[in-house]
Amino acid sequence: MATGRTHRPATRSRGIPEATVARLPLYLRALTALSERSVPTVSSEELAAAAGVNSAKLRKDFSYLGSYGTRGVGYDVEYLVYQISRELGLTQDWPVVIVGIGNLGAALANYGGFASRGFRVAALIDADPAMAGKPVAGIAVQHTDELEHIIESNGVSIGVIATPAGAAQQVCDRLVAAGVTSILNFAPTVLTVPDGVDVRKVDLSIELQILAFHEQRKAGEETPEGGAPATSGRAAAVAAAAEAAAAADRKGPDGDVPAVMPA
Amino acid sequence: MATGRTHRPATRSRGIPEATVARLPLYLRALTALSERSVPTVSSEELAAAAGVNSAKLRKDFSYLGSYGTRGVGYDVEYLVYQISRELGLTQDWPVVIVGIGNLGAALANYGGFASRGFRVAALIDADPAMAGKPVAGIAVQHTDELEHIIESNGVSIGVIATPAGAAQQVCDRLVAAGVTSILNFAPTVLTVPDGVDVRKVDLSIELQILAFHEQRKAGEETPEGGAPATSGRAAAVAAAAEAAAAADRKGPDGDVPAVMPA
DNA sequence: GGCTGTGAAAGGCTTCACAGCT
DNA sequence: AGCTGTGAAGCCTTTCACAGCC
């Protein structure tokens, strides 16, 4: 998907398809929930429903990992949790640095889903000297000057970029030079990295734009046969009122991963 | 992709492939940057580089929209900006509500990329009465009780869920009942929605897990032939540490991967 | 009888390579 | 000469459907 330059060499080793890898975390989450409720086994049908996929796909996915189920019975929940965790590399601890402690960076630092899955926030880094020393999510923010030192002394190989777009490439370069080989990029910009470095991108506004595309289709369709109730006239009606507020928003202080790109 | 229940009817109307739709925002961003620098035309090669895709794919993508280029010359930047904006539905204004004003919700409210692309934050909604009235990103937070009223009076059709996982489905149901037909879900849970409602999911921890998977592969590979320059030593170093951790894990009780996290 | 694991078929996406326009 | 637009080929992903095991 969002692999920076990496010329995908057809998923090496035991060749688990990329699409399958992307779904393993989904299965893992569903299994974890079952595990907490002490459910001992689960069928492909049930697990698929819990993960929001169809059962054929799930079985095919699992078949790439090995034969971990029992015919006529289903899958052992605990065993599968372990196998998937191991496959994803979550049985080891991954120190992670977050660069750019604005609103988003702070949100990420506080995000429980990291710590609970083998990821450990090793450091929070920000370019603003005023931030240095301030605790966010219980961790003191460090200045960008420390970046290389932090990466090296903690053996960090995964970096999260939550800076404004303008700073992202520069931060990325420094992370990579210091030894980071996987980057999760929240800044709305395309990062260039050397071969061997993975980049994944999360772009908040892109997701909304995709929704808008489909929303527009719905509105234009009129009587969509599939019968969602009354949503149509809505879009047009609102357009006018929008104008005023849009102008007001413009001056808003964009503390973090901000504009750099008006449209 | 993350379309909730929606039985994809093979992308209706003029049938733009889903994969293409997902890239249009990328092209749009690159084009916007060119437009700001007053670049009049651009070739598929240049634009592709700026957007981080290859040129054949870009040309194919554009061919679904129509023939907007000029052979021997390239694409007119302004014209393309307009065409893509229109195709994505960004020439109209989309009022959006954000539900769940924790760290993440606040980050989203402050995110410049929304306002700049036809999205307008119509309201911020939170269940905590103590939040009510507080301004976030210049907008007063409103209590969940107001949800239906807000949706209806603003004609909101797109909702963003940034609540804890436990509250997400309930919020989703209320949004849908009030008339929302597109949902962007940041809560780490699978949402169930009626036909005709689109759901897209952004999951912060899933992206990291996918990176961890590839990172693990790199570490295990040793001399990856593809020859990333300075990056190698680290992989080796990490591999060693990994081994130890893995071994330790092997026998340990993998009780692990706990909660379904907060916001 | 029930459910997994998997070949085979179908569908979608990407890449190739070149005809065709300017 | 240069660059777009696009059939055709190749690859990847999903779905089907059923043999095989419990």
Side-chain angles (χ1 to χ4, degrees):
Chain A
M1 249 194 172
T3 352
R5 272 292 132 256
T6 331
H7 286 319
R8 166 147 326 295
T11 322
R12 285 304 197 80
S13 271
R14 210 198 303 144
I16 299 178
E18 198 51 33
T20 296
V21 172
R23 281 187 296 267
L24 291 182
L26 240 52
Y27 302 144
L28 184 54
R29 172 173 300 151
L31 285 164
T32 301
L34 292 171
S35 169
E36 273 159 21
R37 289 168 39 213
S38 303
V39 177
T41 61
V42 65
S43 70
S44 63
E45 200 72 54
E46 294 163 335
L47 183 53
V53 304
N54 79 50
S55 64
K57 196 185 290 186
L58 178 142
R59 288 199 302 278
K60 182 61 107 185
D61 283 342
F62 286 177
S63 79
Y64 294 115
L65 307 185
S67 288
Y68 295 150
T70 307
R71 292 166 201 241
V73 179
Y75 301 92
D76 182 281
V77 171
E78 294 301 330
Y79 186 57
L80 247 194
V81 164
Y82 173 70
Q83 291 298 342
I84 294 179
S85 294
R86 195 173 49 86
E87 198 65 61
L88 283 172
L90 304 181
T91 50
Q92 60 185 272
D93 181 83
W94 295 102
V96 167
V97 296
I98 302 174
V99 186
I101 314 302
N103 276 300
L104 181 58
L108 294 169
N110 278 293
Y111 185 60
F114 290 174
S116 66
R117 288 222 166 42
F119 300 100
R120 176 171 53 86
V121 179
L124 305 179
I125 302 176
D126 199 280
D128 181 359
M131 288 290 293
K134 276 194 184 174
V136 171
I139 302 173
V141 174
Q142 291 174 270
H143 189 262
T144 317
D145 290 346
E146 309 288 330
L147 190 146
E148 285 77 10
H149 173 253
I150 293 166
I151 301 289
E152 279 154 31
S153 63
N154 288 275
V156 174
S157 52
I158 301 180
V160 177
I161 297 179
T163 65
Q169 182 64 58
Q170 192 184 338
V171 166
C172 174
D173 292 343
R174 288 181 64 182
L175 287 173
V176 169
V180 165
T181 48
S182 290
I183 290 176
L184 182 53
N185 179 31
F186 285 90
T189 193
V190 176
L191 294 180
T192 303
V193 296
D195 267 26
V197 177
D198 277 333
V199 177
R200 292 192 67 88
K201 198 173 42 120
V202 175
D203 192 312
L204 311 174
S205 89
I206 283 182
E207 297 301 323
L208 269 189
Q209 290 175 60
I210 296 171
L211 282 177
F213 172 84
H214 292 297
E215 193 61 39
Q216 178 183 230
R217 284 286 155 105
K218 287 180 209 164
E221 237 171 42
E222 292 307 314
T223 338
E225 116 200 358
T231 331
S232 340
R234 196 174 294 289
V238 181
E243 220 58 55
D249 274 347
R250 204 56 59 109
K251 53 122 202 206
D254 44 297
D256 65 52
V257 181
V260 171
M261 34 191 17
Chain B
M1 288 257 138
T3 354
R5 269 293 130 257
T6 331
H7 284 322
R8 165 151 325 298
T11 323
R12 285 304 198 79
S13 271
R14 210 197 304 144
I16 298 177
E18 197 53 32
T20 296
V21 172
R23 280 188 296 267
L24 292 181
L26 238 53
Y27 302 143
L28 185 54
R29 172 174 301 153
L31 285 164
T32 301
L34 291 172
S35 170
E36 273 160 20
R37 289 167 38 212
S38 302
V39 177
T41 61
V42 66
S43 71
S44 63
E45 201 72 53
E46 294 164 334
L47 183 52
V53 304
N54 78 51
S55 64
K57 196 186 287 185
L58 178 143
R59 288 200 302 278
K60 184 62 110 180
D61 283 342
F62 286 177
S63 80
Y64 294 117
L65 308 183
S67 286
Y68 294 150
T70 308
R71 289 164 202 241
V73 180
Y75 301 91
D76 181 280
V77 171
E78 295 301 330
Y79 186 56
L80 248 194
V81 164
Y82 173 71
Q83 290 299 343
I84 295 180
S85 294
R86 195 172 50 84
E87 196 65 59
L88 283 172
L90 305 181
T91 50
Q92 58 186 269
D93 181 84
W94 295 102
V96 166
V97 296
I98 301 175
V99 187
I101 313 302
N103 275 299
L104 180 58
L108 294 168
N110 278 294
Y111 184 60
F114 289 175
S116 65
R117 287 224 166 42
F119 299 101
R120 174 173 54 87
V121 179
L124 305 178
I125 302 176
D126 199 279
D128 181 359
M131 289 290 294
K134 277 194 185 172
V136 171
I139 303 173
V141 174
Q142 292 175 271
H143 189 263
T144 316
D145 290 347
E146 308 289 328
L147 191 146
E148 285 76 10
H149 173 252
I150 294 166
I151 302 288
E152 281 155 30
S153 63
N154 288 275
V156 173
S157 53
I158 300 180
V160 177
I161 297 179
T163 65
Q169 182 64 57
Q170 192 184 340
V171 166
C172 173
D173 291 345
R174 288 181 64 182
L175 288 173
V176 169
V180 165
T181 48
S182 289
I183 289 175
L184 182 52
N185 180 30
F186 286 88
T189 192
V190 176
L191 294 179
T192 303
V193 295
D195 266 27
V197 176
D198 277 332
V199 177
R200 292 193 67 88
K201 199 174 42 129
V202 175
D203 194 311
L204 312 174
S205 89
I206 281 181
E207 297 300 323
L208 269 190
Q209 290 174 60
I210 296 171
L211 282 177
F213 172 84
H214 292 296
E215 195 59 39
Q216 177 184 230
R217 283 285 155 107
K218 286 181 209 163
E221 234 171 46
E222 291 310 308
T223 340
E225 126 204 345
T231 338
S232 330
R234 164 152 319 281
V238 173
E243 213 57 53
D249 276 344
R250 201 58 58 103
K251 51 168 172 162
D254 60 310
D256 88 318
V257 186
V260 190
M261 83 259 346

